[in-house]
Amino acid sequence: MASLEVAAAGSLTAEEVLDRVGGRRDGLGAEEAADRLRSAGPNAVRSHRARALPVLVRQLRSPLLILLAVTAVASFFVGERADALIIGAILAASVGLGFGNEYRAEKAAEALHAQISHQCVVLRDGHPCSIDVTRLVPGDVIMLQLGEVVPADVRLVATVGLECDESVLTGESQPAAKSTDPVLAGSPLAELACCALMGTVVRAGSGTGVVVATGRRAEFGRIALGLGEHHPQTEFQLGLGRFSMLLVWVAGALTGGIFAVNLILRRPVLDALLFSLAIAVGISPQLLPAVVSTSLAAGTRRLARRKVLVKRLVCIEDLGDVEVLFTDKTGTLTEGRISFMRSLGSDGRAAEAPLLLGLLCNEAVVEGGLAAGGNALDVALWDSPAAALQQQALAGYRRLATLPFDHERQAVSVLLRTPDDGHLIITKGAPERMLERCADVPAAIRTALDAEFAAGNRVVAIATRSTPADQSTLTAADERDLTLRGLLVFSDPPKTTARHALARLAGLGVTVKVVTGDNPVVAAKVCADLGLPAGRVVTGADIDAGDDDRLEKLITETTVFARVSPEHKARIVRAQRRTGVDVAFLGDGVNDALALHAADVGISVESATDVAKDAADVLLLEKDLDVLADGVAEGRRIFANTMKYVLMGTSSNFGNMFSAAGASLFLGFLPMLPSQILLNNLLYDSSQLAIPTDTVDPEQVARPTRWDVGFIRRFMLTFGPISSLFDFATFGVMLWIFHAGAPLFRSGWFVESLATQTLVIFAIRTRRIPFIRSHPSVPLLLAALGAATAGALLPATPLAHALGFRPLPGLFFLTLAGMVAGYLLLIEIGKRWFYRTAPAVPETRPRVPGHRVHRRAARFAIPTPGDDPGPKT
């Protein structure tokens, strides 16, 4: 067995390719496929296993941290061994704290990926079966259907109107028509008409092919490998980066200034450098990645329990930004359990003939009496009790050709040989399009059709035309001059939980709009039944009649878009985004892929087509808007808790480090030793790791809040000085009341600074009055009080001497209590003034390019790492 480059396979006949890869038209045997999998490796381009080493490297890549460690090592060798060992131990504990939390988050992401699988249909021992795409091997024969992502590089051996969207590889926007005829040797990818390429999408028709290359040997695998494992950053990650850079600049300015001043004051160079670097580390958001990762991992677990899976952890926060949700009607507003109700003849009365014709013109695969594949209406028709009564009549027909359903024609056709050896075309599809194709439409059938639409029922029209006996193929041109034979009526009642879910989303500030290919009257009826005012119903024809500016105006006037094409859906989403709001799209069909990619957040369901699942950021195991509301609230809760850490770092923490810098200018000694600054920072950061568990006020999840570095900078410049004010008050108390020397001074300020910067979280975490109108979570309460208590006790422990502390007099703690109370009171006053004058949240968020290949590559991933999971020769 050997893999074969797809370009080479394209120049060979199908039989030659089968021979080269050791395949057969009826597929491989199960044991033979298992042997090939062991030798070739999985059909994967990357792994998603959590690995400890990269997480550890991320903790150590801070230049400040590295420089501080190097300086501590230098101080060890010049005689200051105790201080160096203490600094090293504190740095190790800080790194370990971040590593432990981030690694647990990575493990949560690994568990998330393990719940998402992608299947394909392959022939094994001559029978079709469904397997995971990563288990494909060269020589396998696979079946391709509408909406599927091609799971490997394939040489086609049979096609029926097959077209593939290859834009992910070639950049061509138009689907490529496929055949089985070989191409010239050396043809480029875009001209391999006899091959289907890994990662491309079946946009029309169906086909069968033999796998020639898998994993990283496939063309798509090589491209994905070239992009690396790193995904493009989301706006959430970019916001974190902008905030970190703000503090890096602040830390750099303070560090350089402090170091220069201490040199001017003729203090020891090594001591000055250690002190300056410790200040920089104290300001740097060292545990921000751990806090964010912990929040996202906890949110992921909560959502997974509610049957919501996110492709990447940061997608949860993106979900919280959503302000407008476009969704299909079926399965979200309706039960999604479509059932066949009745068939009506061309006179509008009950008749069995349309049912028989509907079963003959059907794309569902029936195996052992059970229907699968095809669309939901086809499956519902076969599953109806009435279908069982037609089995004898069906036996006399033989299908000669099929023209599969597509969203442009909105119809499917078959060519049959009838029991009397005649040839008959049966076409089934959307009633409006079918009536246009019929030579004559009785008034009775129009009346019956209007009545069914008004009742909210789904309707399919069916028509026929006799054809010459020598016809053996079908094209769209054959769907003309038809005779209308009747209607097939289906029921899909409104979902009982939808009204409550819509109310929840409205309470979260999310506007729900319906985008459907169904009839306008039916869509409006379902919305009205659920209390969702439809306004003016906009159709695809309305969209075509105007430009994008006109569409933006239509969007403000309607809740329902009906009889729209895939291109219409994408235009609607893009037009809504141009109004300055974040847009989510919920869809599960191949016709939804364009809109899923155009949205800020793409949402699909486990039962969706491959292309819809690949285009989505979020996957619902149940198609339920109530679950989606949970996701939106969770995303906003995570962002709110992340901002608590950010605002803490830019208020009291920044104020304390600024105070240390200022005090070093007028004191005859360092206000706090480098090891004490780092220990202070470690205790503070440890308490902040409980922030992800904190409760969030309802108004904080009522609307999205985006990153605004300007807002953070204003917060820092407002509350940082308040913190410094009380630090300088502490300096005065220690120098003029307690007449403290260097060790006692450092002990007093260590205790005061740690108490103020940990306890202020109770004021900063809410815009309400803390403990009266807003209560923190128990873990956060215990963590903050624990850190402050530990800091207060340290000067009285046996470790005090080694750490450079001295026991504090009892009067100091009474003074401390008064200062902490005064500090929190002043913070409350400042908080009320600040939020009254705070500017509005920014309204725009750009879509980060380059996400399409990474989204699709995720389907070809395995849970274990390897140097090369691709095929081996």
Side-chain angles (χ1 to χ4, degrees):
M1 180 276 299
S3 61
L4 184 64
E5 287 196 9
V6 70
S11 63
L12 304 175
T13 66
E15 295 302 328
E16 288 173 331
V17 171
L18 284 166
D19 183 63
R20 291 278 288 274
V21 298
R24 300 181 299 275
R25 284 186 177 267
D26 61 350
L28 302 175
E31 292 186 6
E32 183 181 5
D35 290 339
R36 293 192 181 194
L37 183 62
R38 282 189 289 270
S39 62
N43 178 33
V45 298
R46 59 179 52 158
S47 75
H48 52 69
R49 183 174 180 176
R51 286 169 283 185
L53 184 59
V55 177
L56 182 60
V57 169
R58 285 200 294 272
Q59 309 305 309
L60 299 173
R61 68 185 179 187
S62 166
L64 291 174
L65 205 64
I66 295 171
L67 189 55
L68 184 59
V70 170
T71 309
V73 170
S75 68
F76 178 87
F77 287 105
V78 297
E80 299 182 11
R81 296 187 176 184
D83 283 348
L85 290 173
I86 292 171
I87 291 173
I90 294 171
L91 287 177
S94 180
V95 169
L97 200 61
F99 169 79
N101 280 275
E102 280 205 59
Y103 186 67
R104 280 197 294 271
E106 292 273 344
K107 295 294 287 185
E110 179 184 330
L112 174 66
H113 278 284
Q115 297 180 62
I116 301 174
S117 64
H118 299 276
Q119 305 289 312
C120 64
V121 177
V122 61
L123 291 177
R124 290 280 166 87
D125 297 313
H127 299 286
C129 62
S130 183
I131 66 169
D132 193 283
V133 294
T134 61
R135 301 187 64 81
L136 279 179
V137 295
D140 264 329
V141 174
I142 62 173
M143 303 171 70
L144 302 174
Q145 298 290 333
L146 179 68
E148 292 180 348
V149 174
V150 179
D153 280 352
V154 173
R155 173 58 166 93
L156 297 168
V157 298
T159 62
V160 179
L162 181 64
E163 293 182 0
C164 292
D165 178 356
E166 298 178 343
S167 58
V168 72
L169 293 178
T170 66
E172 293 292 335
S173 59
Q174 295 299 316
K178 297 297 179 179
S179 68
T180 59
D181 300 328
V183 299
L184 295 175
S187 295
L189 284 183
E191 297 178 10
L192 295 180
C194 61
C195 298
L197 305 174
M198 181 185 193
T200 62
V201 179
V202 179
R203 289 294 299 272
S206 60
T208 303
V210 57
V211 174
V212 297
T214 58
R216 298 183 183 181
R217 294 287 177 86
E219 293 297 327
F220 178 83
R222 292 172 182 171
I223 293 175
L225 183 62
L227 288 176
E229 299 279 342
H230 183 66
H231 287 255
Q233 289 188 313
T234 66
E235 179 63 15
F236 179 60
Q237 293 168 313
L238 291 172
L240 286 175
R242 289 193 295 269
F243 164 68
S244 298
M245 283 307 299
L246 169 66
L247 290 192
V248 166
W249 281 107
V250 173
L254 275 178
T255 301
I258 293 167
F259 184 63
V261 169
N262 276 271
L263 289 181
I264 293 171
L265 296 176
R266 298 181 181 278
R267 288 174 180 163
V269 174
L270 204 57
D271 287 350
L273 184 59
L274 279 171
F275 178 73
S276 303
L277 291 173
I279 291 288
V281 170
I283 293 176
S284 301
Q286 192 175 337
L287 283 189
L288 180 59
V291 169
V292 172
S293 297
T294 302
S295 293
L296 294 174
T300 297
R301 288 190 292 270
R302 280 190 289 269
L303 289 181
R305 287 194 291 269
R306 295 300 308 270
K307 299 185 179 180
V308 180
L309 302 180
V310 290
K311 296 283 188 72
R312 289 192 291 152
L313 295 181
V314 292
C315 294
I316 301 177
E317 196 280 331
D318 291 337
L319 189 58
D321 278 343
V322 170
E323 294 167 271
V324 176
L325 169 67
F326 289 101
T327 179
D328 190 11
K329 173 177 63 68
T330 305
T332 50
L333 302 182
T334 66
E335 291 291 348
R337 293 192 296 270
I338 299 173
S339 58
F340 174 68
M341 297 175 65
R342 54 184 167 270
S343 58
L344 304 176
S346 58
D347 58 358
R349 299 179 180 179
E352 291 188 4
L355 171 60
L356 174 63
L357 295 172
L359 293 170
L360 290 168
C361 183
N362 197 295
E363 293 186 280
V365 178
V366 181
E367 187 79 24
L370 297 176
N375 62 54
L377 297 175
D378 284 343
V379 174
L381 199 61
W382 274 106
D383 289 344
S384 67
L389 304 176
Q390 301 292 328
Q391 295 301 317
Q392 186 174 354
L394 291 170
Y397 293 85
R398 180 188 170 199
R399 185 177 298 191
L400 303 176
T402 301
L403 186 60
F405 178 89
D406 68 51
H407 298 283
E408 296 298 325
R409 298 169 23 254
Q410 296 183 8
V412 57
S413 293
V414 295
L415 174 63
L416 301 175
R417 178 177 292 160
T418 62
D420 58 2
D421 286 333
H423 282 207
L424 183 69
I425 294 174
I426 305 176
T427 302
K428 180 179 70 176
E432 298 93 329
R433 298 295 299 274
M434 291 296 296
L435 297 187
E436 295 171 359
R437 297 181 173 104
C438 293
D440 181 48
V441 180
I445 201 68
R446 291 185 183 274
T447 302
L449 182 60
D450 290 341
E452 297 293 351
F453 282 154
N457 296 325
R458 301 185 65 173
V459 184
V460 173
I462 194 156
T464 63
R465 179 169 65 85
S466 297
T467 187
D470 59 351
Q471 182 170 344
S472 59
T473 61
L474 276 177
T475 67
D478 292 314
E479 296 173 337
R480 57 175 174 78
D481 300 328
L482 301 172
T483 300
L484 187 65
R485 301 295 298 275
L487 305 174
L488 301 173
V489 183
F490 299 84
S491 173
D492 187 15
K495 185 175 288 187
T496 55
T497 60
R499 183 183 289 269
H500 174 260
L502 289 171
R504 280 193 65 198
L505 287 168
L508 292 168
V510 178
T511 301
V512 179
K513 296 177 184 274
V514 178
V515 183
T516 179
D518 210 342
N519 178 269
V521 178
V522 175
K525 172 70 164 55
V526 171
C527 290
D529 289 345
L530 295 173
L532 189 65
R536 173 188 173 184
V537 179
V538 175
T539 65
D542 296 327
I543 296 172
D544 288 333
D547 57 13
D548 288 343
D549 291 335
R550 170 63 177 163
L551 180 55
E552 282 188 35
K553 185 174 185 299
L554 288 175
I555 283 175
T556 64
E557 299 173 352
T558 186
T559 302
V560 178
F561 299 85
R563 289 298 191 216
V564 290
S565 69
E567 289 74 17
H568 290 147
K569 293 181 180 181
R571 276 190 66 192
I572 291 166
V573 170
R574 287 193 293 266
Q576 183 70 77
R577 289 191 68 209
R578 282 195 298 273
T579 64
V581 298
D582 278 44
V583 178
F585 186 90
L586 171 57
D588 58 3
V590 64
N591 57 320
D592 296 320
L594 291 175
L596 286 166
H597 279 300
D600 291 298
V601 182
I603 307 167
S604 194
V605 294
E606 176 63 22
S607 58
T609 59
D610 283 348
V611 66
K613 287 194 289 187
D614 286 327
D617 302 295
V618 179
L619 202 61
L620 307 181
L621 299 186
E622 289 184 359
K623 201 172 181 181
D624 189 344
L625 288 181
D626 211 27
V627 172
L628 190 56
D630 291 336
V632 172
E634 187 64 31
R636 295 180 186 177
R637 195 189 73 82
I638 288 170
F639 186 85
N641 280 338
T642 301
M643 285 301 296
K644 293 173 187 176
Y645 179 86
V646 168
L647 297 180
M648 285 284 290
T650 54
S651 55
S652 63
N653 193 28
F654 167 74
N656 285 344
M657 296 303 103
F658 184 80
S659 301
S664 69
L665 301 181
F666 64 84
L667 289 175
F669 51 84
L670 292 178
M672 203 182 291
L673 295 175
S675 59
Q676 292 169 345
I677 292 175
L678 295 175
L679 179 59
N680 184 296
N681 192 55
L682 176 64
L683 291 172
Y684 161 76
D685 276 341
S686 300
S687 70
Q688 303 310 294
L689 285 174
I691 285 179
T693 69
D694 194 24
T695 56
V696 174
D697 298 334
E699 61 268 21
Q700 290 180 288
V701 297
R703 64 185 300 269
T705 306
R706 301 187 183 92
W707 283 102
D708 183 0
V709 173
F711 171 86
I712 296 170
R713 187 186 304 113
R714 287 188 296 273
F715 195 94
M716 178 175 66
L717 296 177
T718 300
F719 293 96
I722 295 176
S723 175
S724 292
L725 178 65
F726 280 85
D727 287 334
F728 282 103
T730 303
F731 297 161
V733 168
M734 298 307 297
L735 291 174
W736 299 324
I737 296 179
F738 295 107
H739 306 289
L744 188 62
F745 180 95
R746 292 165 181 159
S747 301
W749 188 43
F750 178 90
V751 172
E752 183 272 341
S753 65
L754 184 59
T756 54
Q757 72 176 346
T758 53
L759 297 180
V760 77
I761 182 62
F762 300 125
I764 289 177
R765 59 170 292 277
T766 178
R767 298 189 183 191
R768 300 180 175 188
I769 301 174
F771 296 106
I772 298 176
R773 297 190 58 215
S774 179
H775 301 279
S777 68
V778 173
L780 179 61
L781 179 65
L782 295 177
L785 294 177
T789 302
L793 294 177
L794 266 177
T797 65
L799 295 173
H801 181 73
L803 294 171
F805 293 134
R806 293 293 183 273
L808 291 162
L811 182 59
F812 168 81
F813 290 101
L814 291 177
T815 307
L816 175 65
M819 285 194 295
V820 169
Y823 174 60
L824 296 180
L825 178 61
L826 193 55
I827 288 289
E828 276 298 308
I829 295 172
K831 185 175 72 175
R832 292 180 180 278
W833 171 83
F834 179 83
Y835 285 118
R836 276 201 304 268
T837 59
V841 176
E843 293 187 345
T844 58
R845 184 183 76 154
R847 160 66 68 183
V848 180
H851 59 284
R852 292 184 66 201
V853 171
H854 282 285
R855 277 178 175 175
R856 199 158 293 170
R859 71 183 287 104
F860 306 107
I862 52 173
T864 54
D867 293 334
D868 183 5
K872 304 170 185 175
T873 55

